[in-house]
Amino acid sequence: QVQLVESGGGLVQPGGSLRLSCAASGNIFNIYAMGWYRQAPGKQRELVATITRGAITNYADSVKGRFTISRDNAKNTLYLQMNSLKPEDTAVYYCNGIPPPGDYWGQGTQVTVSS
């Protein structure tokens, strides 16, 4: 059974930082590349960062240079360090496999960037 539990979101001022965490079950973390997705109000969910099991990373242009994805394979945990946050980064952030293995999504964690 797939389990994904995101945490670490909150309210932050523009220019601030947050670190998101995702505790994943082994049956997804040990098989799949992993990614962080986000969904802003009224918009489709988008993929913002990916990392392979070998730690090769890739980023959407909108977050490149500001976000850093990492993973701890021993803890089945995915991270997203977000720096220089902008109001347009406001969204619910989710982690999942690449591609998502089925229809399951965690509850996500809300990130709000506002002064």
Side-chain angles (χ1 to χ4, degrees):
Q1 183 178 356
V2 174
Q3 258 196 322
L4 299 163
V5 180
E6 300 93 347
S7 62
L11 173 63
V12 63
Q13 292 187 341
S17 298
L18 284 173
R19 189 191 194 209
L20 307 183
S21 298
C22 166
S25 54
N27 57 355
I28 180 174
F29 203 84
N30 293 333
I31 297 173
Y32 288 82
M34 295 293 294
W36 283 98
Y37 303 73
R38 68 185 181 187
Q39 187 166 20
K43 295 188 177 181
Q44 287 191 332
R45 190 173 290 160
E46 63 171 339
L47 179 62
V48 296
T50 66
I51 186 167
T52 68
R53 293 186 68 239
I56 297 172
T57 59
N58 198 17
Y59 300 90
D61 287 344
S62 58
V63 307
K64 200 171 294 184
R66 301 187 297 121
F67 290 11
T68 302
I69 188 172
S70 61
R71 63 190 293 164
D72 185 332
N73 290 337
K75 296 181 179 179
N76 289 354
T77 302
L78 185 72
Y79 303 100
L80 186 68
Q81 177 67 44
M82 305 187 297
N83 299 328
S84 301
L85 283 161
K86 304 175 180 180
E88 51 263 43
D89 295 318
T90 295
V92 179
Y93 284 71
Y94 303 87
C95 64
N96 213 324
I98 305 294
D103 296 330
Y104 175 83
W105 290 86
Q107 84 288 349
T109 186
Q110 175 71 48
V111 172
T112 302
V113 184
S114 175
S115 55

